[in-house]
């Protein structure tokens, strides 16, 4: 459970923290840090895909594959935003290439990232539905938080306050879904261990 919580809540909390240092506007003065910050963010943003995957990783294989593919789509297309509107636009601004070229980079990055954030919303809804089906009403608060955060993510980055609070909501929501999805005291035993404990008879896998 501890590792699951770290995987689900760690990346959005780290992004929320880094968002405090994100320049509000790309200017000649902020261009250097703008470019460097998005280089730092490049391997971190894809880790948001771990949230929905962790909460369903013991679900049916088809669900795991669906969440995995949606997470992959998010990671690929959202990375374009960091590369184009972050690293690329920052480099152009430093090179005094002109606002026209910088604007082109922003447009391309935003257009591509749209596919990513919609894929993330779909993954979030699917993962929430799986936990709701498994645990019932206790999953409603967590599901509501992560879906609301995913909707907010459609139009936000990590700018404070909206973007930063969106990341914190992801961390809180995935944590809530993990807590209700894996009740305390429940463990998953390998089939061989179950068989031995039952005197050699096979037993169904324990799910939580």
């Amino acid at each position: 459970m501890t590792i699951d919580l770290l995987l689900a809540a760690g990346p959005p909390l780290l992004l929320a923290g880094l968002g405090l240092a994100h320049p509000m506007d790309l200017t000649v003065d902020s261009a250097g840090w703008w470019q460097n910050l998005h280089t730092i963010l490049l391997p971190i943003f894809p880790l948001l895909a771990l949230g929905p995957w962790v909460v369903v990783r013991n679900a049916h294989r088809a669900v795991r594959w669906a969440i995995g593919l949606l997470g992959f789509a998010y990671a690929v297309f959202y990375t374009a935003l960091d590369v184009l509107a972050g690293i690329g636009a920052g480099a152009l601004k430093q090179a005094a290439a002109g606002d026209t070229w910088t604007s082109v980079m922003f447009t391309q990055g935003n257009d591509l990232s749209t596919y990513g954030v919609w894929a993330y919303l779909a993954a979030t809804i699917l993962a929430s539905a799986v936990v709701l089906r498994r645990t019932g009403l206790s999953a409603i608060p967590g599901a509501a938080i992560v879906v609301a955060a995913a909707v907010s993510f459609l139009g936000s980055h990590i700018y404070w306050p909206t973007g930063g609070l969106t990341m914190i909501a992801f961390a809180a929501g995935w944590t809530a879904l993990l807590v209700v999805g894996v009740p305390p005291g429940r463990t998953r035993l390998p089939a061989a261990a179950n068989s031995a404990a039952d005197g050699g008879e096979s037993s169904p896998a324990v799910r939580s």
Side-chain angles (χ1 to χ4, degrees):
M1 171 65 83
T2 301
I3 295 177
D4 289 347
L5 288 175
L6 181 62
L7 292 175
L13 289 178
L14 181 56
L15 288 168
L18 289 170
L20 293 170
H22 196 301
M24 295 303 295
D25 296 296
L26 175 57
T27 64
V28 173
D29 292 335
S30 68
W33 174 237
W34 182 283
Q35 181 181 12
N36 292 333
L37 177 60
H38 285 88
T39 302
I40 295 170
L41 292 170
L42 199 61
I44 302 175
F45 260 113
L47 297 179
L48 280 180
L50 291 173
W53 181 81
V54 165
V55 301
V56 302
R57 67 176 184 168
N58 294 292
H60 190 277
R61 180 179 299 177
V63 173
R64 299 198 309 269
W65 270 96
I67 294 291
L69 290 173
L70 287 169
F72 177 74
Y74 152 74
V76 169
F77 287 105
Y78 203 82
T79 295
L81 180 65
D82 282 323
V83 172
L84 294 171
I87 300 170
L92 285 174
K93 180 64 74 171
Q94 290 182 87
D99 291 337
T100 299
W101 290 108
T102 302
S103 177
V104 169
M105 299 294 272
F106 269 97
T107 299
Q108 290 297 309
N110 285 324
D111 287 348
L112 288 172
S113 70
T114 298
Y115 299 109
V117 291
W118 277 101
Y120 195 85
L121 174 60
T124 299
I125 292 173
L126 179 56
S128 299
V130 169
V131 181
L132 280 165
R133 184 175 183 274
R134 179 188 299 168
T135 63
L137 296 179
S138 61
I140 289 179
I145 292 171
V146 291
V147 171
V151 171
S152 175
F153 193 38
L154 294 176
S156 66
H157 187 47
I158 54 172
Y159 296 101
W160 278 84
T162 303
L165 292 176
T166 296
M167 294 299 118
I168 291 175
F170 276 135
W174 293 130
T175 297
L177 289 178
L178 278 171
V179 169
V180 300
V182 184
R186 294 284 295 279
T187 58
R188 300 178 184 85
L189 299 176
N194 288 339
S195 178
D198 293 336
E201 296 182 1
S202 61
S203 61
V206 178
R207 284 180 176 259
S208 60

